[in-house]
Amino acid sequence: MPDTKKLTFRPIASTPARATPRNREHAIVVGASIAGLLAARVLSESFDQVTVLDRDTLPERLTSNRRAVPQGHHVHVLQLVGHEILERLLPSLREEALQAGAPTMRPTTEMRLCISGHVLAGVHMGSEFPSSSRPLLEGLVRRRVRALPNVTIRDRCSVLGLISDGGSVRGVQARDLAPDGDLQALRADLVVAATGRGGRVPAWLESIGYERPVEERVDIDIHYATRYLRLRPGALGTDKVVYSSARPGRPRGYALVLEEDDRWHLGLLGYGPAHRPPADVAGWKAYVATVADPDVLAAIEHASPLSEIVTHAFPANVRRRYERLRRFPDGLLVTGDALCSFNPVYGQGMTLAALEAVALQRCLQDGDSRLAHRFFKAASVPVNSAWKLATGADFALPEVTARGTLPDRLVNRYIERLLGVAERDEDVARTFIEVLGMLVPPTRLLHPTTAMRVLRGSRGWVQA
């Protein structure tokens, strides 16, 4: 696997700081999600004290879901570059995940990936990594960040707004969610908002005299229904992940993933009102039969259920263009889903949060001058790539009412042919997996070497 110091998604080179650096005594992170925790880890290198505030009750058990993360019940994937970044920021995290019961995974030789109806050739992509649920991964990261000597994590603490002196953010207004909790003014030299996909930060900006960022939205109306199962040993041979995406003509899909404690996580997905996976057992089983391969269906039919069926809805991809604002207050940054929130089916969110943490780390190393401008510009590089991947794939489905541009449609036709070639061409399959794993940008799919293999392998493809 590549050294994350040499990632394609390097931030754009920043101008060396010319102004005297601000005090770096105290930083506040709003939100104890993976994005917020990784931001706190990076800030701990530069600030004397870092405080993470979250209004949720954070669980003591590593594998417990929490109320404020309803999507935590569903299948999550940390992409290849995300594993490498987490291991660099939190050394030995992989070993801790394995000790907590997560199985090892070899990408992609232990994965069956069916994308738009094409089963990709299995290729060896590098080191093994642990396959863990979202609650376990977040719990491990939280435990490591909480152990840092200059980081404090406060739960049941709601942030109500920003403290501003006009041109700079100087902290937050917060209230402990106890019966006698008082409003507190918490001062900070930097506030990082990892507040999730809701619109809290734009409203806060407006309240202190700044414009809201332009918001891009692609409605997709996707629903999930998820359940934990215990499969019989060897039911799927060596496969530890089976994934089949939605495709034109069948806007349904599923993911079956082996996670900690020998549990299998089965998530069903569907686009539009006519394809919503049901929450009742009989309807859920009938839905499985419409998407699963025969051997997978047999394995599921003989499995033991370990949980109830949990549903989740995701209405739209949303991106807020902070990098385009002409005015933005000093002392405030935005990261994670508050910056950009994608269709979860593509498994980009946690990895993008890790890439944004790396961008923040590099920007802080360059000083405090125009920090927000430099960070949003740097973060926009991986966000642009992830946005193109997510929205481009969604545009291909008739059930997604938003329509892509002519270049989007041409690229989707090319990708369809590329996937056909990737069924038997390991080099093309490897390139596609590298793009999915966010190791390289989507433009790599159009590299002349790859394009020539696609043209030769697809036999008779003619550009529209």
Side-chain angles (χ1 to χ4, degrees):
M1 302 294 281
D3 183 346
T4 51
K5 295 179 181 177
K6 300 178 180 178
L7 293 176
T8 302
F9 299 136
R10 287 188 63 84
I12 297 172
S14 53
T15 304
R18 290 175 239 179
T20 302
R22 293 192 313 270
N23 246 341
R24 288 191 177 183
E25 294 180 3
H26 186 211
I28 288 177
V29 179
V30 185
S33 62
I34 287 179
L37 293 168
L38 293 179
R41 159 63 185 84
V42 167
L43 291 167
S44 71
E45 300 173 354
S46 301
F47 286 80
D48 296 336
Q49 183 65 39
V50 179
T51 303
V52 181
L53 307 175
D54 198 285
R55 57 186 172 183
D56 200 8
T57 300
L58 300 178
E60 294 296 326
R61 291 182 65 247
L62 285 176
T63 57
S64 296
N65 280 296
R66 56 189 184 96
R67 181 181 57 83
V69 188
Q71 71 273 22
H73 293 275
H74 302 275
V75 176
H76 278 67
V77 175
L78 186 64
Q79 300 293 351
L80 300 175
V81 74
H83 282 282
E84 294 303 310
I85 291 173
L86 260 64
E87 188 64 16
R88 181 160 68 82
L89 293 177
L90 302 166
S92 300
L93 189 70
R94 290 180 181 178
E95 190 60 36
E96 292 180 13
L98 297 177
Q99 291 174 358
T104 58
M105 188 80 66
R106 291 186 181 91
T108 61
T109 55
E110 294 181 327
M111 300 177 176
R112 189 191 313 180
L113 303 178
C114 181
I115 312 296
S116 193
H118 301 281
V119 179
L120 303 187
V123 293
H124 183 59
M125 296 297 298
S127 303
E128 296 179 337
F129 61 81
S131 175
S132 59
S133 65
R134 161 66 185 262
L136 175 58
L137 181 60
E138 184 177 304
L140 290 169
V141 173
R142 183 171 60 247
R143 185 173 70 181
R144 290 290 298 277
V145 172
R146 194 193 294 272
L148 295 171
N150 61 336
V151 175
T152 301
I153 300 178
R154 290 176 55 183
D155 62 357
R156 293 183 51 76
C157 182
S158 178
V159 174
L160 307 178
L162 303 172
I163 298 171
S164 171
D165 64 5
S168 299
V169 169
R170 300 300 186 187
V172 299
Q173 296 280 357
R175 186 191 301 276
D176 285 329
L177 297 179
D180 56 349
D182 295 326
L183 188 65
Q184 305 169 44
L186 303 179
R187 298 284 172 173
D189 304 297
L190 179 65
V191 174
V192 178
T195 50
R197 61 182 274 117
R200 299 169 69 195
V201 179
W204 290 348
L205 283 174
E206 200 169 51
S207 73
I208 61 173
Y210 287 84
E211 291 184 1
R212 291 171 174 256
V214 170
E215 184 175 286
E216 297 180 5
R217 181 183 178 96
V218 176
D219 293 319
I220 56 174
D221 188 25
I222 190 170
H223 286 69
Y224 297 86
T226 299
R227 195 178 204 185
Y228 274 111
L229 304 171
R230 180 88 67 202
L231 267 59
R232 292 180 177 178
L236 293 178
T238 60
D239 287 333
K240 296 180 180 178
V241 170
V242 182
Y243 171 68
S244 181
S245 74
R247 60 180 183 266
R250 197 205 72 177
R252 302 180 174 194
Y254 74 100
L256 181 60
V257 181
L258 177 63
E259 295 178 345
E260 64 269 10
D261 302 325
D262 199 31
R263 300 180 306 176
W264 288 82
H265 208 163
L266 175 58
L268 308 179
L269 63 97
Y271 288 81
H275 299 279
R276 293 176 180 173
D280 64 287
V281 174
W284 189 81
K285 288 182 176 180
Y287 196 99
V288 172
T290 68
V291 294
D293 293 334
D295 65 322
V296 177
L297 183 60
I300 293 169
E301 288 176 343
H302 291 96
S304 302
L306 300 177
S307 70
E308 300 298 319
I309 298 168
V310 180
T311 60
H312 181 63
F314 189 89
N317 300 303
V318 176
R319 181 180 184 184
R320 299 186 175 96
R321 304 305 296 259
Y322 287 99
E323 79 279 10
R324 294 182 177 176
L325 289 173
R326 294 184 178 181
R327 294 176 60 246
F328 194 83
D330 291 335
L332 177 65
L333 299 176
V334 185
T335 191
D337 283 357
L339 195 61
C340 192
S341 177
F342 304 94
N343 184 343
V345 74
Y346 305 118
Q348 297 170 312
M350 297 188 299
T351 300
L352 194 58
L355 285 162
E356 290 166 3
V358 171
L360 175 59
Q361 184 181 51
R362 291 171 178 161
C363 288
L364 287 169
Q365 290 168 354
D366 285 341
D368 294 326
S369 177
R370 304 176 74 229
L371 177 61
H373 171 79
R374 291 186 290 111
F375 170 73
F376 290 135
K377 195 172 184 180
S380 71
V381 177
V383 169
N384 282 339
S385 294
W387 182 260
K388 289 176 182 177
L389 280 173
T391 58
D394 286 336
F395 287 149
L397 297 171
E399 289 72 20
V400 174
T401 55
R403 296 269 67 89
T405 62
L406 176 60
D408 291 325
R409 294 193 291 273
L410 291 173
V411 168
N412 278 338
R413 292 189 65 178
Y414 169 75
I415 295 299
E416 181 66 23
R417 285 152 180 81
L418 180 147
L419 290 170
V421 175
E423 292 183 7
R424 56 190 181 276
D425 188 320
E426 291 188 2
D427 287 340
V428 173
R430 180 177 289 103
T431 300
F432 187 77
I433 295 298
E434 286 175 343
V435 170
L436 284 185
M438 303 180 76
L439 293 166
V440 299
T443 52
R444 187 64 63 88
L445 298 176
L446 302 173
H447 188 276
T449 301
T450 301
M452 187 59 65
R453 299 183 76 93
V454 172
L455 290 171
R456 289 173 177 170
S458 59
R459 292 183 181 178
W461 174 69
V462 178
Q463 186 174 3

